Every structure is written in structure tokens, then in C-alpha cells.
Amino acid sequence: MINSLNEPETLIKNADHILTMNDSREELRGADVLVKGNVIKAIGHNLEGAGKVLDARGCVVTPGLVNTHNHLFQTLTRAVPGGQDALLFGWLQTLYPIWARFGPEEMFVSAQVGLAELALSGCTMSSDHLYLYPNGARLDDTIEAAKTVGLRFHPTRGAMSIGESDGGLPPDSLVEREAAILEDCIRVIDAHHDAREGAMVRVGVAPCSPFSVSRELMRDAAILARDKGVMLHTHLAENEEDIAYSLEKFGCRPGQYAEDLGWTGSDVWHAHCVKLDGQEIDLFARSGTGVAHCPCSNCRLGSGIAPVRKMRDRGVNVGLGVDGSASNDAGNLMLEARQSMLLQRVASGADAMSAREALEIATRGGAEVLGRPDCGQLSVGKQADIAVWDVSGVDTAGSWDPAALLLAGPNKVKELFVQGRHIVQDGQMPHLDLRSIIGQQNALAKKLMEG
Ligand SMILES: [Zn+2]
């Protein structure tokens, strides 16, 4: 991005703590961040700026959080009765017929709601995985929604091609022809993908999961993504049913299947990976393959505890994902970071993950998984994606350390900057009529409920 002399400056002044997540994980007390245009111009004490000044006394400043796995359309199917207590496959079979009634309006409004919810929880960059396109819905619907909210967006063109009549899980009405899927991947990449530093939209290619597309589509998707220079994403090794399916249908574990079809590398990230074994973790570490860890969804669907401690120790890139709101059902990324810390402690003891490490996974970790070294940390020259947390309230009163952000709260952000743009101001989003969007969302949900 070009930096002209006339670009506006914002000075975030006198923050109680700044957690930079830079290479030395530096933390500053009583310090300032100066933003100029899209990027961070300076971090330090007693800075001066020529523009707006934001008083950050009583606040902790962190990089904006990064969400590496979501299905935004699912904000319209939170807490659906038949899906509240089911395992993954049964849960999907309850929801597929409801999702089959979605169209462009449902995709647009549900994405606005999901992204606004994420922004208010401190998220500045989100990926999305849209894998069904009923009734004229397109990936473009969610990209338009992201523009209205103002988040940095990595939508992925998902797909399902093996319907019930071919032995797959989804109903035939929700699957597409594989040639049409690949064609539409090319269309959305050409129309929306921006490879430049500072990009606001990057498109990925993302067949839904090994149990809903063919081996050929997995392989062709990898070839296409590499040809276009975009990233690959899917669900992998989510629970025991998923492993059993892989062994039965493909004769191998998911890691082997992924490797055989070109689905490892630093341009690939897999959601969940709850059931990766030691060899698969080593494969991911060796190949630079990333993981989107979704602890709340894993708890909600009873999938298990992902071996995040082991992954991190062996050098796997791990980011956080809230996953879709049909399996979370919240889209609060700060709560997700807290959950990731708690869950590793349940599995491996109180020293298994610190609050600071969870916050690092939620920021820098996610940016690395999404191939965004220009984001995820507060350093001079990096993108100005910044979260300001008010720690002067009742939830943090009496805390001794900025780790209170995860250990206590708050889990909603006070101020949020994306690419230097101030999109959350004192806990509100003045550029969005959120009340009216929520009204539209509830009307659409009601229509779906009434069938
Ligand atoms: Zn998912």
C-alpha cells in the first residue's frame, strides 16, 4: 500500500499496556501507538501525532484477533432444537434441509451479523468457509457483507459434490457438479482475490470435507489453487466418526489422504484436526500446514480436545476459529481464546497454555495460518489492525496483569481499527445500522423456522 504524506493519523495514547506480539513479544506500559493511513507508524512513549487522539488510559491494546474458521451463514441457525445435542454427522443431517432453503439474502444478512459479532469481540480479520450455494446464493454475497462491516476478509469457495445417492452425507439438492465448482472457483478468484500486501479480500479454495467431495475434486482443487496462487482450506480429522470414515472409504488416515492429494504445505490450513496422531502432527510441522483450532465447537459437538500443545511444541502453525454458529453458538473470538487456554489445561495441566500464548494464537498465530505476515502484530510498518480493550470495568477490577484479558475479561472490545479505519467506537459500530440488521436476521430465521 502506498503511504502518502496526506494520510490521516490517529494516536492511541497512554495505554496501560500494549501487547505487541512482535518478534520479541514486547510489552509496553503507559505507551502509545501512532497510526498513519493503513499502517502502524510508531509505537513507544510520548509520541505525537498530527490527527485524532484517542485516550487509552485504563485500556490494554493488542493486535486485532484473527478468525481462521467460520461458516457465517450459520448465524441463522443458532440453537436449532434437533441439532443441539447431536454428534457431527447427526448434527449435519438435521441442519442440511434447513440450509437448503437459504438464498442470497440469507447469505448476505447472516454474514453481516456474524462479522459484526466478531468485530465487537476484537476480531479484525476473518476467514469464512461457504460450502453450499442453494437458490442462487454466491460467495459474492458474503464479500459484499464484509465490505459493509469493514473487516479484512478471507472467504473460501467451499463445495460439496457427493450427495446421499452416491453414499455421501448431504442431500442431493445441496451438492454441485464438480466441473461447475471448479469454474466458479476461478470466477470468484478472478473477481475478488487481492494478492497484494495489505489486501482486504483474499479468496481461498475449500471443498467442504473429505466426506462430501470426491478424491478427484480434492486433487483438482489443489492444482487449481496453486495455479492461481491462493490458499486451500477444508475440515480434517474432526472426530472419531471422521477418522472411521477415512479408514473405511479411503483405506488411510486423514493426514495420509491430505498428503496424497496435495493438501499439505504452507498454503493449506485445515479446520479442527482434533484427532491428528503424532505422525500427522509431524507431517503438518514439516510441511508448514496450518491448523484452525475451534475449541468451543469441539466441546459443543463432543468431538474431543485437539492436541494443540503437541502441535505448537512441534512447530505447527495454529490459529483460532469460532466455527459456524450452528455449533458454537457464539461468534466471540476472545471467548474462543479463553476456551482454547482452558481446554489445553483440562487435557494437560495448568501449565499447558498461558493466557499470553492463547492471545498469541488468537492474533499472530491466526495471521500466520492465513499467510498474512503483514497482520497479527503491532510493529512499525504492519497493517493497523488494532484492538483496544477497556480494563477499567467491574470484570477486571483488581487485576494485576494484562493476562486478565483472558483470565477475567472483558470479552467485548472498546475500540477497533482495521487497516487504520476506526470501525468500533466506544463499543458501537456507527457505520452500521445493527438494530435493523438484527431485525432482518430475526425475520429470516423466523421464516426458516416456519418452513
Ligand atoms: Zn467448520
Side-chain angles (χ1 to χ4, degrees), residues 54-108:
L54 189 83
D55 183 7
R57 270 174 299 190
C59 296
V60 174
V61 177
T62 69
L65 310 190
V66 178
N67 182 33
T68 60
H69 184 66
N70 205 0
H71 311 286
L72 288 165
F73 69 92
Q74 294 181 5
T75 59
L76 272 170
T77 48
R78 298 189 215 243
V80 170
Q84 284 178 24
D85 309 308
L87 288 176
L88 177 65
F89 284 13
W91 170 85
L92 281 170
Q93 280 161 328
T94 303
L95 288 159
Y96 283 142
I98 303 171
W99 295 335
R101 301 206 301 274
F102 278 44
E105 191 188 2
E106 282 79 4
M107 295 304 179
F108 177 82

Side-chain angles (χ1 to χ4, degrees), residues 69 71 235 272 323:
H69 184 66
H71 311 286
H235 294 95
H272 303 303
D323 204 0

Side-chain angles (χ1 to χ4, degrees), residues 323-363:
D323 204 0
S325 289
S327 68
N328 186 325
D329 300 276
N332 184 308
L333 200 48
M334 186 48 106
L335 286 177
E336 203 69 38
R338 175 176 159 84
Q339 187 74 8
S340 72
M341 170 188 75
L342 295 176
L343 208 50
Q344 290 309 300
R345 292 174 179 219
V346 170
S348 315
D351 59 353
M353 184 177 288
S354 69
R356 280 175 170 78
E357 185 178 9
L359 196 58
E360 179 182 319
I361 293 171
T363 54

Side-chain angles (χ1 to χ4, degrees), residues 79-330:
V80 170
Q84 284 178 24
D85 309 308
L87 288 176
L88 177 65
F89 284 13
W91 170 85
L92 281 170
Q93 280 161 328
T94 303
L95 288 159
Y96 283 142
I98 303 171
W99 295 335
R101 301 206 301 274
F102 278 44
E105 191 188 2
E106 282 79 4
M107 295 304 179
F108 177 82
V109 177
S110 60
Q112 279 190 312
V113 166
L115 290 166
E117 184 187 11
L118 280 165
L120 291 167
S121 76
C123 173
T124 49
M125 171 158 65
S126 183
S127 65
D128 190 47
H129 188 186
L130 181 56
Y131 52 80
L132 38 90
Y133 296 87
N135 308 307
R138 304 192 311 163
L139 192 67
D140 314 57
D141 304 324
T142 61
I143 296 171
E144 287 310 311
K147 285 181 184 159
T148 67
V149 178
L151 286 202
R152 216 179 276 284
F153 195 42
H154 283 217
T156 61
R157 206 302 180 182
M160 300 193 292
S161 63
I162 308 273
E164 267 170 337
S165 60
D166 292 321
L169 209 58
D172 291 350
S173 66
L174 276 180
V175 303
E176 299 174 88
R177 282 186 311 111
E178 299 201 336
I181 291 166
L182 292 167
E183 250 168 58
D184 198 52
C185 286
I186 295 169
R187 181 189 69 79
V188 290
I189 293 165
D190 290 348
H192 302 290
H193 181 71
D194 182 357
R196 294 171 298 178
E197 185 176 333
M200 287 296 284
V201 178
R202 286 214 184 141
V203 177
V205 174
C208 184
S209 65
F211 56 79
S212 51
V213 302
S214 73
R215 179 185 286 269
E216 290 69 35
L217 185 69
M218 290 295 285
R219 189 199 55 214
D220 291 348
I223 293 168
L224 169 66
R226 298 221 159 90
D227 181 51
K228 288 283 186 186
V230 304
M231 291 187 74
L232 284 163
H233 181 51
T234 193
H235 294 95
L236 203 79
E238 181 164 348
N239 71 356
E240 288 298 352
E241 291 171 292
D242 200 350
I243 301 291
Y245 186 94
S246 186
L247 290 171
E248 192 201 321
K249 298 272 179 185
F250 311 134
C252 64
R253 289 187 53 86
Q256 178 78 54
Y257 188 68
E259 190 182 24
D260 288 350
L261 296 172
W263 277 78
T264 50
S266 58
D267 55 353
V268 185
W269 85 106
H270 293 285
H272 303 303
C273 301
V274 172
K275 297 295 175 186
L276 288 194
D277 68 13
Q279 275 186 335
E280 290 170 313
I281 292 173
D282 285 341
L283 167 68
F284 275 40
R286 217 167 46 236
S287 57
T289 309
V291 169
H293 172 47
C294 308
C296 288
S297 170
N298 298 159
C299 289
R300 160 80 148 79
L301 294 175
S303 300
I305 303 176
V308 173
R309 179 71 278 141
K310 225 178 254 170
M311 291 178 190
R312 297 260 305 166
D313 288 347
R314 298 200 195 167
V316 177
N317 281 339
V318 180
L320 279 187
V322 295
D323 204 0
S325 289
S327 68
N328 186 325
D329 300 276

